[in-house]
Amino acid sequence: AKSGSLQSKLEDLSPAIQNGVFIDRDGPNAQNGFIWRVTFLDDAYPEERDYALRVHSNSLTTTTGSGHVAVSLLNRGRTYTSCTGPLVVPSLGGLVKGLHYYARVSARNKEGYSLPNRDEDSVAPMIVPAAPTGVTLEVISATQLRVMFGSPSDNGGDTITKYMIEWSTSSDFANAESSTHDYLAGGSPFFKNIEGLSTGVYYYVRVRAMNSQGYGISQSSTPSSLNPHQKPSPPTNVRLGVTSDSMLTIGWSPPLSDGGDSIAKYRIEWDTNPRFVSASNPPNKGYVDLGPSSRSYTVDLLSPEKSYYLRVYAINSAGSSQAQMSDPSWAFPRVQIPGAPYSLVCHPGDSTGVIEFSWQRPNVPNHGIQCFSDKDCPTPYGGSLPQTDGGEDISEYELEVNERPDYTGSDGRLESHTGLHSNLDSLYPGRMYYGRVLARNSVGSGKYSPSISCTAPL
């Protein structure tokens, strides 16, 4: 038999034993006996085929006779899985983001820990960054917006490498377009111009930061959306009318282009100098801002001895349009003929051949421009009625009635009244008559109102 240790003898039993055995020995004890413990280092086989030791022959002798050899199983064979894989430390967190840590690993058995093995590299705990701060949006031109933003309050423990800017015409950022900003050397705040946008269309904008872990959550801009726009074009159809000996009225239409943004207001300016640089004091010089729905304005308390120049601006959030001078460019206040009466109505009277007519005092001056978009003309200083009368009291109303709409028929009548009502009798029963009315003052007769028609009762 080959001599040697028990370990070497067992390890010679290949290929049954490939990874060897581990043997430790205790003894001798008080009876001069020894104990060998054998651990097979190969993975365990199924129980019926697992490693086992038994006495093949016993040739030991002692002073008292043959020696005794006993074999017993201490632990059944076990296969250990590979001791590799990830481990989150500490399991409940607590490490400082961005601070680099080193790690080492030791193995342990019942005898204690092995010497550690360490990774030469360090690593820092990190996550994606927080949202950028101070994201604001502003208009640059009719096709450009500019977004300004600052660094996140938390970089996630890692260096911010770039930012993503997204924009969309929808608040849910459906079909959003995007661009990145990666020049960060100058530090925040950062700026990004968004170009090639459609004038007047509202765009929503948001920004997110990126580090080595990816993009963080986004931050929407303030305001949440803006429309690229520019200053509007000047108002159109700017016309000037003389209302009375103390008033001038200017009217206008909206500009051809609002610049991509709603008109916020109109500014009316007047002066006694054509370049609007006189040293005159109000009311001979001044301006007024009106709402976007306004289409006319009357300047009052003016002097009939001065000429006045008027112009209009359209204003949106980008600024003011160029001024548009009125047509004519100047006028001086003076008394005028009255405006046309309005709301002329007629209906058959209670008797045969009678038609009743009624009307209202003029509400628009003779020049046809409404004094204001939402109210009557001003009353003169010390007066009580709006100056749609031209600055002179209306002395009478002239009602004309005729069987023909062009007022050339032989069956017609012309009557003057100081009030706002007339009953015409002795008309031909069953015949349709057309009627119109004008107002007259000391300057002359104003324009007729629109015609109406009624049939004289039978």
mmCIF file with all atom_site columns, all heavy atoms in Angstrom, residues 412-425:
data_model
loop_
_atom_site.group_PDB
_atom_site.id
_atom_site.type_symbol
_atom_site.label_atom_id
_atom_site.label_alt_id
_atom_site.label_comp_id
_atom_site.label_asym_id
_atom_site.label_entity_id
_atom_site.label_seq_id
_atom_site.pdbx_PDB_ins_code
_atom_site.Cartn_x
_atom_site.Cartn_y
_atom_site.Cartn_z
_atom_site.occupancy
_atom_site.B_iso_or_equiv
_atom_site.pdbx_formal_charge
_atom_site.auth_seq_id
_atom_site.auth_comp_id
_atom_site.auth_asym_id
_atom_site.auth_atom_id
_atom_site.pdbx_PDB_model_num
ATOM 1   N N   . GLY A 1 412 ? -97.265  113.099 -51.556 1.00 0.00 ? 412 GLY A N   1
ATOM 2   C CA  . GLY A 1 412 ? -96.216  113.252 -50.551 1.00 0.00 ? 412 GLY A CA  1
ATOM 3   C C   . GLY A 1 412 ? -96.499  114.423 -49.641 1.00 0.00 ? 412 GLY A C   1
ATOM 4   O O   . GLY A 1 412 ? -97.374  115.260 -49.912 1.00 0.00 ? 412 GLY A O   1
ATOM 5   N N   . ARG A 1 413 ? -95.727  114.463 -48.566 1.00 0.00 ? 413 ARG A N   1
ATOM 6   C CA  . ARG A 1 413 ? -95.957  115.519 -47.575 1.00 0.00 ? 413 ARG A CA  1
ATOM 7   C C   . ARG A 1 413 ? -94.639  115.817 -46.864 1.00 0.00 ? 413 ARG A C   1
ATOM 8   O O   . ARG A 1 413 ? -93.823  114.918 -46.621 1.00 0.00 ? 413 ARG A O   1
ATOM 9   C CB  . ARG A 1 413 ? -97.005  115.079 -46.564 1.00 0.00 ? 413 ARG A CB  1
ATOM 10  C CG  . ARG A 1 413 ? -97.517  116.217 -45.688 1.00 0.00 ? 413 ARG A CG  1
ATOM 11  C CD  . ARG A 1 413 ? -98.605  115.733 -44.762 1.00 0.00 ? 413 ARG A CD  1
ATOM 12  N NE  . ARG A 1 413 ? -99.729  115.146 -45.482 1.00 0.00 ? 413 ARG A NE  1
ATOM 13  C CZ  . ARG A 1 413 ? -100.812 114.603 -44.907 1.00 0.00 ? 413 ARG A CZ  1
ATOM 14  N NH1 . ARG A 1 413 ? -100.897 114.613 -43.566 1.00 0.00 ? 413 ARG A NH1 1
ATOM 15  N NH2 . ARG A 1 413 ? -101.796 114.101 -45.609 1.00 0.00 ? 413 ARG A NH2 1
ATOM 16  N N   . LEU A 1 414 ? -94.434  117.063 -46.495 1.00 0.00 ? 414 LEU A N   1
ATOM 17  C CA  . LEU A 1 414 ? -93.240  117.519 -45.777 1.00 0.00 ? 414 LEU A CA  1
ATOM 18  C C   . LEU A 1 414 ? -93.708  118.341 -44.589 1.00 0.00 ? 414 LEU A C   1
ATOM 19  O O   . LEU A 1 414 ? -94.382  119.362 -44.760 1.00 0.00 ? 414 LEU A O   1
ATOM 20  C CB  . LEU A 1 414 ? -92.367  118.360 -46.704 1.00 0.00 ? 414 LEU A CB  1
ATOM 21  C CG  . LEU A 1 414 ? -90.911  118.568 -46.301 1.00 0.00 ? 414 LEU A CG  1
ATOM 22  C CD1 . LEU A 1 414 ? -90.151  117.245 -46.310 1.00 0.00 ? 414 LEU A CD1 1
ATOM 23  C CD2 . LEU A 1 414 ? -90.222  119.562 -47.255 1.00 0.00 ? 414 LEU A CD2 1
ATOM 24  N N   . GLU A 1 415 ? -93.356  117.875 -43.370 1.00 0.00 ? 415 GLU A N   1
ATOM 25  C CA  . GLU A 1 415 ? -93.814  118.567 -42.165 1.00 0.00 ? 415 GLU A CA  1
ATOM 26  C C   . GLU A 1 415 ? -92.646  118.809 -41.226 1.00 0.00 ? 415 GLU A C   1
ATOM 27  O O   . GLU A 1 415 ? -91.709  118.006 -41.151 1.00 0.00 ? 415 GLU A O   1
ATOM 28  C CB  . GLU A 1 415 ? -94.883  117.737 -41.446 1.00 0.00 ? 415 GLU A CB  1
ATOM 29  C CG  . GLU A 1 415 ? -96.188  117.633 -42.207 1.00 0.00 ? 415 GLU A CG  1
ATOM 30  C CD  . GLU A 1 415 ? -97.286  116.990 -41.368 1.00 0.00 ? 415 GLU A CD  1
ATOM 31  O OE1 . GLU A 1 415 ? -96.978  116.562 -40.220 1.00 0.00 ? 415 GLU A OE1 1
ATOM 32  O OE2 . GLU A 1 415 ? -98.438  116.937 -41.843 1.00 0.00 ? 415 GLU A OE2 1
ATOM 33  N N   . SER A 1 416 ? -92.719  119.914 -40.488 1.00 0.00 ? 416 SER A N   1
ATOM 34  C CA  . SER A 1 416 ? -91.705  120.249 -39.467 1.00 0.00 ? 416 SER A CA  1
ATOM 35  C C   . SER A 1 416 ? -92.306  120.048 -38.091 1.00 0.00 ? 416 SER A C   1
ATOM 36  O O   . SER A 1 416 ? -93.478  120.371 -37.852 1.00 0.00 ? 416 SER A O   1
ATOM 37  C CB  . SER A 1 416 ? -91.240  121.701 -39.625 1.00 0.00 ? 416 SER A CB  1
ATOM 38  O OG  . SER A 1 416 ? -90.590  121.877 -40.862 1.00 0.00 ? 416 SER A OG  1
ATOM 39  N N   . HIS A 1 417 ? -91.439  119.535 -37.151 1.00 0.00 ? 417 HIS A N   1
ATOM 40  C CA  . HIS A 1 417 ? -91.880  119.268 -35.785 1.00 0.00 ? 417 HIS A CA  1
ATOM 41  C C   . HIS A 1 417 ? -90.744  119.627 -34.837 1.00 0.00 ? 417 HIS A C   1
ATOM 42  O O   . HIS A 1 417 ? -89.569  119.473 -35.155 1.00 0.00 ? 417 HIS A O   1
ATOM 43  C CB  . HIS A 1 417 ? -92.249  117.792 -35.596 1.00 0.00 ? 417 HIS A CB  1
ATOM 44  C CG  . HIS A 1 417 ? -93.354  117.324 -36.499 1.00 0.00 ? 417 HIS A CG  1
ATOM 45  N ND1 . HIS A 1 417 ? -94.685  117.453 -36.172 1.00 0.00 ? 417 HIS A ND1 1
ATOM 46  C CD2 . HIS A 1 417 ? -93.312  116.749 -37.738 1.00 0.00 ? 417 HIS A CD2 1
ATOM 47  C CE1 . HIS A 1 417 ? -95.416  116.955 -37.163 1.00 0.00 ? 417 HIS A CE1 1
ATOM 48  N NE2 . HIS A 1 417 ? -94.614  116.533 -38.129 1.00 0.00 ? 417 HIS A NE2 1
ATOM 49  N N   . THR A 1 418 ? -91.115  120.095 -33.677 1.00 0.00 ? 418 THR A N   1
ATOM 50  C CA  . THR A 1 418 ? -90.105  120.375 -32.649 1.00 0.00 ? 418 THR A CA  1
ATOM 51  C C   . THR A 1 418 ? -89.909  119.193 -31.716 1.00 0.00 ? 418 THR A C   1
ATOM 52  O O   . THR A 1 418 ? -88.924  119.122 -30.980 1.00 0.00 ? 418 THR A O   1
ATOM 53  C CB  . THR A 1 418 ? -90.500  121.609 -31.822 1.00 0.00 ? 418 THR A CB  1
ATOM 54  O OG1 . THR A 1 418 ? -91.790  121.385 -31.239 1.00 0.00 ? 418 THR A OG1 1
ATOM 55  C CG2 . THR A 1 418 ? -90.526  122.853 -32.695 1.00 0.00 ? 418 THR A CG2 1
ATOM 56  N N   . GLY A 1 419 ? -90.843  118.244 -31.732 1.00 0.00 ? 419 GLY A N   1
ATOM 57  C CA  . GLY A 1 419 ? -90.746  117.052 -30.896 1.00 0.00 ? 419 GLY A CA  1
ATOM 58  C C   . GLY A 1 419 ? -90.266  115.851 -31.681 1.00 0.00 ? 419 GLY A C   1
ATOM 59  O O   . GLY A 1 419 ? -89.763  115.960 -32.812 1.00 0.00 ? 419 GLY A O   1
ATOM 60  N N   . LEU A 1 420 ? -90.490  114.690 -31.086 1.00 0.00 ? 420 LEU A N   1
ATOM 61  C CA  . LEU A 1 420 ? -89.993  113.428 -31.659 1.00 0.00 ? 420 LEU A CA  1
ATOM 62  C C   . LEU A 1 420 ? -91.135  112.529 -32.079 1.00 0.00 ? 420 LEU A C   1
ATOM 63  O O   . LEU A 1 420 ? -90.984  111.303 -32.149 1.00 0.00 ? 420 LEU A O   1
ATOM 64  C CB  . LEU A 1 420 ? -89.105  112.699 -30.620 1.00 0.00 ? 420 LEU A CB  1
ATOM 65  C CG  . LEU A 1 420 ? -87.913  113.490 -30.086 1.00 0.00 ? 420 LEU A CG  1
ATOM 66  C CD1 . LEU A 1 420 ? -87.199  112.695 -28.988 1.00 0.00 ? 420 LEU A CD1 1
ATOM 67  C CD2 . LEU A 1 420 ? -86.945  113.842 -31.201 1.00 0.00 ? 420 LEU A CD2 1
ATOM 68  N N   . HIS A 1 421 ? -92.293  113.163 -32.449 1.00 0.00 ? 421 HIS A N   1
ATOM 69  C CA  . HIS A 1 421 ? -93.458  112.357 -32.793 1.00 0.00 ? 421 HIS A CA  1
ATOM 70  C C   . HIS A 1 421 ? -94.329  113.132 -33.773 1.00 0.00 ? 421 HIS A C   1
ATOM 71  O O   . HIS A 1 421 ? -94.405  114.363 -33.740 1.00 0.00 ? 421 HIS A O   1
ATOM 72  C CB  . HIS A 1 421 ? -94.250  112.022 -31.515 1.00 0.00 ? 421 HIS A CB  1
ATOM 73  C CG  . HIS A 1 421 ? -95.441  111.167 -31.757 1.00 0.00 ? 421 HIS A CG  1
ATOM 74  N ND1 . HIS A 1 421 ? -96.688  111.686 -32.028 1.00 0.00 ? 421 HIS A ND1 1
ATOM 75  C CD2 . HIS A 1 421 ? -95.587  109.804 -31.783 1.00 0.00 ? 421 HIS A CD2 1
ATOM 76  C CE1 . HIS A 1 421 ? -97.550  110.689 -32.203 1.00 0.00 ? 421 HIS A CE1 1
ATOM 77  N NE2 . HIS A 1 421 ? -96.883  109.545 -32.050 1.00 0.00 ? 421 HIS A NE2 1
ATOM 78  N N   . SER A 1 422 ? -95.023  112.369 -34.646 1.00 0.00 ? 422 SER A N   1
ATOM 79  C CA  . SER A 1 422 ? -95.927  113.012 -35.606 1.00 0.00 ? 422 SER A CA  1
ATOM 80  C C   . SER A 1 422 ? -97.039  112.034 -35.980 1.00 0.00 ? 422 SER A C   1
ATOM 81  O O   . SER A 1 422 ? -96.778  110.834 -36.202 1.00 0.00 ? 422 SER A O   1
ATOM 82  C CB  . SER A 1 422 ? -95.182  113.434 -36.874 1.00 0.00 ? 422 SER A CB  1
ATOM 83  O OG  . SER A 1 422 ? -96.092  113.940 -37.838 1.00 0.00 ? 422 SER A OG  1
ATOM 84  N N   . ASN A 1 423 ? -98.291  112.552 -36.051 1.00 0.00 ? 423 ASN A N   1
ATOM 85  C CA  . ASN A 1 423 ? -99.424  111.793 -36.570 1.00 0.00 ? 423 ASN A CA  1
ATOM 86  C C   . ASN A 1 423 ? -99.824  112.402 -37.908 1.00 0.00 ? 423 ASN A C   1
ATOM 87  O O   . ASN A 1 423 ? -100.284 113.556 -37.971 1.00 0.00 ? 423 ASN A O   1
ATOM 88  C CB  . ASN A 1 423 ? -100.609 111.846 -35.607 1.00 0.00 ? 423 ASN A CB  1
ATOM 89  C CG  . ASN A 1 423 ? -100.415 110.962 -34.393 1.00 0.00 ? 423 ASN A CG  1
ATOM 90  O OD1 . ASN A 1 423 ? -99.601  110.051 -34.421 1.00 0.00 ? 423 ASN A OD1 1
ATOM 91  N ND2 . ASN A 1 423 ? -101.168 111.235 -33.333 1.00 0.00 ? 423 ASN A ND2 1
ATOM 92  N N   . LEU A 1 424 ? -99.644  111.643 -38.985 1.00 0.00 ? 424 LEU A N   1
ATOM 93  C CA  . LEU A 1 424 ? -100.034 112.126 -40.314 1.00 0.00 ? 424 LEU A CA  1
ATOM 94  C C   . LEU A 1 424 ? -101.412 111.567 -40.647 1.00 0.00 ? 424 LEU A C   1
ATOM 95  O O   . LEU A 1 424 ? -101.627 110.345 -40.615 1.00 0.00 ? 424 LEU A O   1
ATOM 96  C CB  . LEU A 1 424 ? -99.018  111.692 -41.361 1.00 0.00 ? 424 LEU A CB  1
ATOM 97  C CG  . LEU A 1 424 ? -97.634  112.360 -41.304 1.00 0.00 ? 424 LEU A CG  1
ATOM 98  C CD1 . LEU A 1 424 ? -96.777  111.908 -42.482 1.00 0.00 ? 424 LEU A CD1 1
ATOM 99  C CD2 . LEU A 1 424 ? -97.751  113.879 -41.295 1.00 0.00 ? 424 LEU A CD2 1
ATOM 100 N N   . ASP A 1 425 ? -102.327 112.466 -40.976 1.00 0.00 ? 425 ASP A N   1
ATOM 101 C CA  . ASP A 1 425 ? -103.676 112.020 -41.341 1.00 0.00 ? 425 ASP A CA  1
ATOM 102 C C   . ASP A 1 425 ? -103.971 112.357 -42.785 1.00 0.00 ? 425 ASP A C   1
ATOM 103 O O   . ASP A 1 425 ? -103.116 112.882 -43.519 1.00 0.00 ? 425 ASP A O   1
ATOM 104 C CB  . ASP A 1 425 ? -104.718 112.633 -40.397 1.00 0.00 ? 425 ASP A CB  1
ATOM 105 C CG  . ASP A 1 425 ? -104.657 114.161 -40.363 1.00 0.00 ? 425 ASP A CG  1
ATOM 106 O OD1 . ASP A 1 425 ? -103.965 114.741 -41.237 1.00 0.00 ? 425 ASP A OD1 1
ATOM 107 O OD2 . ASP A 1 425 ? -105.276 114.780 -39.474 1.00 0.00 ? 425 ASP A OD2 1
#
